[in-house]
Amino acid sequence: MDSPILLLLALLVALVHCFPDDYHSHNSTRHHDYCVLGAGPAGLQMGHFLSKSQRDYIILERNSGPGSFFNIYPRHRKLISINKIYTGRRNREFNLRHDWNSLLSDRPDLLLQRVSRELYPDADSFPRYLSMYVKELGLKVQYGVDIGKIRASESESPRGRGYILTDQRGLDYTCRVLLVSTGLWDPQKVQFEGSDLVEGYESIPVDPEEYKDQAVLILGKGNSAFETAQSILGRASRIHLYSPSPVRLAWQTHYVGDLRAVNNELLDTYQLKSLDGLVEGGLEDIAIVRNGEDEKKRSGRKKKCRSSGKEKRGKLFLTLAELLDSSDGKNSSKVTATNLPVYHNDNFSLRQPYDRVIRCLGFRFNFSIFDGSARPPSSEGARGRLPGVTAWYEGRGTPDLFVLGTAAHSRDYRSSAGGFIHGFRYTVRAVHRVLELRYHSNSWPAIKLSISQLQSWLLRRVNEASGPYQMFGVLGDIILLRGSHCEYLEEFPLQALPQFSSLSGHQLSKHGLLVLVLQYGLNRTDSLGPGRAESEWTRAWRSNFLHPVLYYYDKLPTKRDMRHRPVGWPLPRPKAVHHMIEDFLTEWDGPISHSQPLRRFLEHCLHTDLRAFYAESCFRFSLTNRKPPLFCRQGYLRKHGVVRNSQLWQHAHEAGLMLGGQDSASPETDPSFPDYLTRAGASVSSAINLDF
């Protein structure tokens, strides 16, 4: 009697042990302070910062490895992001200006160049680089977790609002802060009559032989459209690109999302009249129809083609929806001549039929996984393809939910590089600094500098900093003036300046602040024509290309000031502004053209003599003036102007040359200055040893 019962119990125990761990936790919940959704470049970049600050986080990825987007896209497997290995410099920060693929880390060798040496790498190299990044930094990534639903949870704990993420197995992940870095996956589509006859960029064949002697119409004029056209340029008989807007060239607009030269060979064949071309027109008003072949004939021919393994499709015509007899959305084969534009205009550009019509309209954010409590609104710009976020990348109306990477590009759409790796690696770092203050009371990192050293630090930043260089007009350095010293904060989101204190943890003093920005000029000139650049420093305000600009405010701009700033300006009108003349080499270190005008601007704002002097001059000033120049007080009289000599220091002290209080402190008692010298390096001596 007992034997069957014991046998049954043993069988149940065995079955329980056979189930995977996921079964036991099917209805359980896993909690983390931070959930990062997506193991693409933005998610991994945030993972690095969270790991470095030792936070409780998890990166959730639905696929089996990081960067899965790049396993598919771009379809023709060539990245258009620059991987410039040789710059003539060994400065890591400077070299990141020309490395558009690597993520930020403390490892100097953790760069894409370890995987690819090509200027435009093969797309397959990027997931390999990301896998290396995850492994070497030990990031916490959980693969195979496909989050299908996200909702907000109102908790009564001190943590307040949180988020619940449910995966494909019904397992819940809860987090205090949700960081969405899913990128853009959903193809952008336009509905019109005959849109089901159109092939999508995401599914077209990539073998050029498939297009041999075919006429192809491509909807779109972005990089994906031109990439597709370029791949079949030597096989297709005719390629036309159609979209509402004219083509925009990146080297003209300075926006890297516009057409890159690496993809634009079709412009040659168009302008040199070799059968290819570009046409403008609305997408919502068109229709794609097949030729008027009888349905019975077509059905019979399909059967014959299937038996031979080859199906020949009918020709496709582009027409206007208003010319069709019916508007029921069906693709009628009974199209007559009067339904085609050529009947009404025999010079209609797209009057010839096509073998293929391909949609290349880009991608959009996937809003479907968010329920009403957690769904960020659509952006006002970018045709609503992106989520709307604040200037510090928090979803509008979704507190504690931040959007990272390409999906956060609505903040600088078509104006900077926030939608691309070389841009959003810096905005992700800015978001992390916001998180550190809000949830852990750690203020934005700041460097304390004496005013006499501000100029050389500014020159160092404009000549090597990669963040403001890549995120021009979006991230800027903030200098809080404190009288004889200042606090220097790097790469703050400029549009969040009205909320500066609450986001950074630093307060403004009565002395005001300076903002350092790199920006392009507003003068629309021929990018390759004569007179395209200014060279005279007195006309620096007319610079066209990327150049540093300093804004001085005596108080923080308000939200209203930001809304009413001049068109094209990243900031409101300041009390004073200084443009540093654009430079062909992007080296702003000329004594006459760059350093001297900068010093005079700083003197105007600070009401202080900032000239630099040799030790001999400081010695003379100290003997003949009650108050030597600031540079001498903060440098020479602290033994920074001559070789250290205890006898000279004692002599100066006994002679009353050393001022009392803070200014008389020895360099050993001022921890900020030695740290500054270490950071500034050679730029200090090269910039400040000039007595103008």
Side-chain angles (χ1 to χ4, degrees):
M1 182 80 180
D2 292 340
S3 296
I5 297 176
L6 292 174
L7 183 62
L8 182 60
L9 288 173
L11 182 60
L12 288 174
V13 170
L15 286 173
V16 168
H17 282 288
C18 288
F19 284 120
D21 290 340
D22 285 342
Y23 177 82
H24 298 290
S25 58
H26 183 78
N27 293 316
S28 65
T29 299
R30 301 181 181 181
H31 179 80
H32 298 275
D33 287 344
Y34 297 93
C35 290
V36 182
L37 188 56
L44 298 184
Q45 185 66 86
M46 177 56 78
H48 161 64
F49 292 123
L50 292 173
S51 179
K52 185 178 177 181
S53 56
Q54 299 181 334
R55 303 304 173 202
D56 173 27
Y57 76 96
I58 188 67
I59 303 174
L60 303 175
E61 168 59 43
R62 66 179 177 179
N63 293 294
S64 58
S68 54
F69 178 89
F70 295 93
N71 291 326
I72 305 173
Y73 304 108
R75 293 299 313 282
H76 301 91
R77 313 312 293 147
K78 187 176 184 178
L79 298 178
I80 59 174
S81 45
I82 294 172
N83 182 39
K84 192 173 182 66
I85 297 173
Y86 303 105
T87 65
R89 306 280 189 92
R90 294 186 178 181
N91 185 302
R92 287 177 55 200
E93 182 69 11
F94 174 86
N95 288 341
L96 281 172
R97 290 182 169 188
H98 311 287
D99 176 351
W100 290 12
N101 300 281
S102 299
L103 300 181
L104 305 178
S105 76
D106 297 328
R107 297 279 299 276
D109 62 334
L110 195 49
L111 306 173
L112 183 76
Q113 61 183 256
R114 281 175 53 184
V115 179
S116 174
R117 310 290 287 180
E118 299 296 323
L119 180 63
Y120 296 106
D122 183 86
D124 292 328
S125 65
F126 195 64
R128 294 202 305 273
Y129 166 70
L130 294 181
S131 295
M132 180 177 70
Y133 188 87
V134 170
K135 181 179 179 180
E136 297 192 12
L137 295 180
L139 302 184
K140 300 174 184 177
V141 185
Q142 189 167 334
Y143 299 108
V145 179
D146 189 1
I147 299 298
K149 182 179 180 181
I150 299 174
R151 63 190 188 278
S153 67
E154 295 294 343
S155 172
E156 296 181 359
S157 69
R159 299 181 184 189
R161 183 185 176 106
Y163 290 90
I164 303 173
L165 292 68
T166 305
D167 71 5
Q168 74 275 28
R169 296 179 295 274
L171 178 65
D172 285 343
Y173 296 82
T174 64
C175 52
R176 180 184 184 187
V177 180
L178 175 58
L179 303 160
V180 180
S181 55
T182 53
L184 307 180
W185 271 89
D186 289 352
Q188 175 75 7
K189 299 178 181 179
V190 177
Q191 295 300 319
F192 52 81
E193 189 158 354
S195 58
D196 61 322
L197 297 174
V198 175
E199 301 174 73
Y201 171 74
E202 66 278 4
S203 58
I204 57 172
V206 295
D207 181 3
E209 295 300 326
E210 293 275 341
Y211 303 84
K212 189 174 180 179
D213 200 29
Q214 292 185 356
V216 180
L217 174 65
I218 298 177
L219 305 181
K221 293 198 193 88
N223 278 295
S224 62
F226 274 86
E227 166 210 327
T228 301
Q230 186 147 313
S231 72
I232 63 175
L233 204 55
R235 292 293 180 270
S237 61
R238 182 175 75 250
I239 305 174
H240 293 160
L241 274 68
Y242 179 89
S243 75
S245 303
V247 65
R248 292 181 286 247
L249 303 173
W251 54 267
Q252 286 183 325
T253 64
H254 308 302
Y255 175 60
V256 296
D258 285 336
L259 178 60
R260 302 289 302 287
V262 69
N263 281 330
N264 70 7
E265 290 180 12
L266 184 133
L267 295 182
D268 260 12
T269 58
Y270 169 41
Q271 289 296 313
L272 299 178
K273 305 308 294 179
S274 188
L275 300 180
D276 305 316
L278 311 177
V279 179
E280 284 73 53
L283 292 173
E284 293 83 358
D285 302 326
I286 67 171
I288 302 295
V289 296
R290 286 202 187 278
N291 61 3
E293 182 182 14
D294 182 79
E295 194 68 41
K296 194 178 289 185
K297 286 183 181 178
R298 183 189 306 168
S299 178
R301 193 174 68 181
K302 276 185 180 181
K303 291 179 181 177
K304 289 181 182 178
C305 291
R306 285 196 195 104
S307 63
S308 64
K310 210 171 189 180
E311 181 179 337
K312 186 174 181 181
R313 296 175 293 186
K315 296 288 186 178
L316 300 172
F317 288 85
L318 182 145
T319 185
L320 302 178
E322 62 185 19
L323 297 179
L324 296 182
D325 297 329
S326 63
S327 57
D328 57 2
K330 303 297 183 183
N331 300 298
S332 173
S333 61
K334 299 177 181 178
V335 177
T336 65
T338 57
N339 300 129
L340 301 178
V342 67
Y343 181 85
H344 308 275
N345 176 11
D346 63 1
N347 196 34
F348 180 63
S349 300
L350 305 180
R351 58 184 178 271
Q352 293 295 331
Y354 297 94
D355 297 287
R356 274 188 148 106
V357 180
I358 300 173
R359 165 183 39 78
C360 298
L361 301 175
F363 298 88
R364 63 182 298 112
F365 183 74
N366 180 14
F367 290 93
S368 66
I369 62 175
F370 300 88
D371 79 356
S373 64
R375 187 186 190 277
S378 298
S379 60
E380 296 178 0
R383 301 188 299 278
R385 296 186 300 119
L386 305 172
V389 295
T390 65
W392 52 96
Y393 302 97
E394 189 170 15
R396 294 188 181 278
T398 54
D400 305 319
L401 184 155
F402 293 81
V403 182
L404 310 177
T406 303
H409 192 31
S410 61
R411 288 306 311 179
D412 62 310
Y413 183 67
R414 297 201 49 77
S415 62
S416 195
F420 311 89
I421 296 167
H422 64 288
F424 65 61
R425 61 191 178 193
Y426 303 103
T427 60
V428 169
R429 180 163 62 186
V431 171
H432 177 256
R433 289 169 174 170
V434 171
L435 301 178
E436 282 294 299
L437 176 66
R438 182 182 295 185
Y439 304 109
H440 309 287
S441 302
N442 293 326
S443 298
W444 199 285
I447 302 164
K448 184 178 179 181
L449 303 173
S450 62
I451 286 297
S452 62
Q453 307 301 334
L454 177 58
Q455 178 183 347
S456 58
W457 191 269
L458 287 169
L459 289 172
R460 172 182 178 267
R461 288 288 293 169
V462 301
N463 281 294
E464 67 177 52
S466 57
Y469 189 91
Q470 303 288 28
M471 287 303 295
F472 54 88
V474 176
L475 297 181
D477 290 357
I478 311 297
I479 302 98
L480 302 177
L481 304 175
R482 308 290 195 200
S484 63
H485 72 280
C486 64
E487 293 178 10
Y488 200 107
L489 287 71
E490 297 177 357
E491 299 168 20
F492 187 84
L494 298 177
Q495 300 305 307
L497 206 54
Q499 295 85 14
F500 173 77
S501 296
S502 62
L503 294 174
S504 70
H506 295 269
Q507 300 298 320
L508 194 67
S509 76
K510 64 179 181 180
H511 300 283
L513 74 157
L514 291 164
V515 183
L516 173 63
V517 188
L518 269 75
Q519 62 187 65
Y520 283 93
L522 299 178
N523 304 312
R524 303 302 179 192
T525 60
D526 183 352
S527 301
L528 298 179
R532 59 185 175 270
E534 289 289 342
S535 58
E536 174 57 47
W537 68 267
T538 58
R539 294 167 59 85
W541 59 277
R542 292 183 58 86
S543 295
N544 294 313
F545 291 93
L546 194 66
H547 64 286
V549 183
L550 272 165
Y551 296 77
Y552 169 69
Y553 298 94
D554 58 357
K555 59 182 179 180
L556 278 175
T558 64
K559 293 180 182 179
R560 185 179 184 280
D561 294 335
M562 295 298 295
R563 287 195 303 268
H564 294 88
R565 65 186 186 276
V567 177
W569 284 41
L571 291 169
R573 291 191 183 277
K575 297 286 287 186
V577 64
H578 173 67
H579 290 254
M580 295 179 69
I581 185 68
E582 58 189 327
D583 188 78
F584 179 72
L585 300 175
T586 62
E587 295 177 357
W588 293 277
D589 56 3
I592 304 301
S593 297
H594 303 120
S595 296
Q596 181 171 276
L598 173 61
R599 174 176 61 80
R600 290 176 174 171
F601 171 75
L602 294 176
E603 290 177 336
H604 168 75
C605 297
L606 304 174
H607 307 290
T608 303
D609 184 353
L610 295 178
R611 288 178 295 172
F613 298 94
Y614 289 109
E616 291 84 351
S617 299
C618 285
F619 180 72
R620 184 175 67 254
F621 284 130
S622 300
L623 294 174
T624 58
N625 291 269
R626 287 181 177 273
K627 190 176 182 181
L630 180 66
F631 178 85
C632 296
R633 299 199 308 272
Q634 295 186 342
Y636 173 76
L637 294 181
R638 293 184 178 181
K639 299 198 298 184
H640 295 158
V642 293
V643 177
R644 294 193 176 194
N645 184 302
S646 58
Q647 293 181 341
L648 284 176
W649 181 271
Q650 184 66 24
H651 170 72
H653 184 75
E654 293 175 351
L657 298 178
M658 304 304 300
L659 301 178
Q662 183 180 355
D663 285 343
S664 65
S666 67
E668 289 81 359
T669 63
D670 184 0
S672 64
F673 195 79
D675 178 65
Y676 161 75
L677 290 176
T678 303
R679 289 171 171 267
S683 64
V684 176
S685 59
S686 64
I688 66 176
N689 287 337
L690 295 170
D691 187 358
F692 294 117

